[in-house]
């Protein structure tokens, strides 16, 4: 009798385990009919009850890793917006430094700060190939006409960033030998404070200049010399 009782208990346990497996398989087959995400959700519901955050997190990770399908359509914009977008992402500064602020400007173009992220890493050795002049340092009275001539040789459109207190207002050099602000010689678009300003500040100034370029009006007409 003991032998037959043990065999009956084993058969009962085996049937219960088979029923549990069949129940799990049935639940999974019902959920996998809607796709892989539904299968993940069904698996989470089987193990964790009503907890759905795990499946949602997995779906978010899958979206971040592999992207999501972009809807097809038509992209509408203006020609001014397109021209300004191209200009702001291809600013070419001139290889031009006056004093200690030029060291910070060179650091900005190095790999640590990576000016290439903003499309402005191409420093040109000639003013005829540049559209951005960074006044990095103090401006002496003897250097002022040289800066003005270089600015006039730059093709349109062109922009100027005054970097540091010396270029902006003379800084600590309040004497007759230095120009008390480069805006007395050439127009300035963005001023960068500091003595000397860090490379991050110059990067921020370039992003502000890009915003200014993007908001310009009549860019296409000026490009065609009809505006």
């Amino acid at each position: 009798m003991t032998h037959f009782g043990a065999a009956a208990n084993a058969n009962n346990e085996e049937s219960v385990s088979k029923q549990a497996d069949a129940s799990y398989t049935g639940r999974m087959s019902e959920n996998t009919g809607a796709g892989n995400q539904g299968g993940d959700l069904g698996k989470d519901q089987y193990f964790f009850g009503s907890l759905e955050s795990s499946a949602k997190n997995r779906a978010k990770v899958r979206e971040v890793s592999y992207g999501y399908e972009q809807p097809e359509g038509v992209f509408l914009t203006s020609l001014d917006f397109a021209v300004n977008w191209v200009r702001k992402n291809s600013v070419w500064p001139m290889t031009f430094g006056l004093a200690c602020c030029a060291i910070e400007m060179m650091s900005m173009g190095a790999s640590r700060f990576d000016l290439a992220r903003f499309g402005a890493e191409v420093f040109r050795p000639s003013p005829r190939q540049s559209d951005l002049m960074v006044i990095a340092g103090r401006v002496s009275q003897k250097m002022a006409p040289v800066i003005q001539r270089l600015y006039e040789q730059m093709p349109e459109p062109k922009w100027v960033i005054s970097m540091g207190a010396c270029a902006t207002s003379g800084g600590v050099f309040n004497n007759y030998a230095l120009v008390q602000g480069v805006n007395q010689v050439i127009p300035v678009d963005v001023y960068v404070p500091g003595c000397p300003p860090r490379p991050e500040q110059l990067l921020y100034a370039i992003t502000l200049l890009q915003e200014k370029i993007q908001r310009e009006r009549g860019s296409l007409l000026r490009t065609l010399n009809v505006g």
Side-chain angles (χ1 to χ4, degrees):
M1 293 298 293
T2 305
H3 175 72
F4 289 109
N9 291 332
N11 291 333
N12 290 333
E13 291 177 358
E14 183 177 359
S15 63
V16 170
S17 63
K18 288 183 179 179
Q19 290 178 1
D21 293 339
S23 175
Y24 170 75
T25 305
R27 292 183 183 180
M28 291 300 295
S29 62
E30 291 177 0
N31 291 313
T32 53
N36 190 19
Q37 185 176 358
D40 295 340
L41 183 59
K43 189 184 299 182
D44 287 343
Q45 288 180 349
Y46 178 78
F47 287 111
F48 305 107
S50 61
L51 182 63
E52 300 179 0
S53 60
S54 179
K56 291 181 179 179
N57 291 338
R58 271 204 297 269
K60 193 65 178 178
V61 170
R62 190 183 302 112
E63 176 184 331
V64 173
S65 302
Y66 303 102
Y68 52 92
E69 184 178 358
Q70 293 285 351
E72 297 182 358
V74 180
F75 183 74
L76 300 177
T77 185
S78 63
L79 291 176
D80 278 346
F81 183 90
V83 171
N84 293 335
W85 180 81
V86 173
R87 283 179 176 173
K88 82 168 188 176
N89 290 292
S90 59
V91 177
W92 286 5
M94 185 167 57
T95 308
F96 178 76
L98 294 174
C100 47
C101 284
I103 304 298
E104 305 297 323
M105 181 178 65
M106 287 184 258
S107 300
M108 178 195 61
S111 59
R112 180 177 181 181
F113 301 97
D114 195 12
L115 183 61
R117 295 175 294 164
F118 305 97
E121 79 280 7
V122 186
F123 281 83
R124 307 307 300 176
S126 170
R128 294 178 175 86
Q129 300 174 353
S130 309
D131 54 7
L132 172 62
M133 177 185 287
V134 181
I135 306 298
R138 54 190 177 271
V139 181
S140 64
Q141 296 289 350
K142 295 176 69 175
M143 197 64 187
V146 179
I147 293 176
Q148 189 174 11
R149 176 174 294 183
L150 290 174
Y151 179 78
E152 292 173 353
Q153 290 177 349
M154 293 170 61
E156 293 285 350
K158 51 191 174 183
W159 304 277
V160 177
I161 293 179
S162 177
M163 181 181 180
C166 295
T168 301
S169 61
V172 298
F173 303 99
N174 186 14
N175 53 51
Y176 66 92
L178 297 180
V179 178
Q180 302 302 304
V182 71
N183 59 337
Q184 300 179 14
V185 182
I186 56 176
V188 178
D189 295 281
V190 181
Y191 292 92
V192 184
C195 183
R198 285 190 53 82
E200 295 92 342
Q201 292 178 256
L202 187 55
L203 277 175
Y204 181 61
I206 290 180
T207 58
L208 293 179
L209 180 62
Q210 288 179 328
E211 293 179 5
K212 180 178 180 179
I213 295 172
Q214 186 64 64
R215 293 194 300 266
E216 288 184 356
R217 301 289 184 178
S219 301
L220 179 64
L221 296 179
R222 287 195 297 271
T223 302
L224 300 176
N225 291 326
V226 296

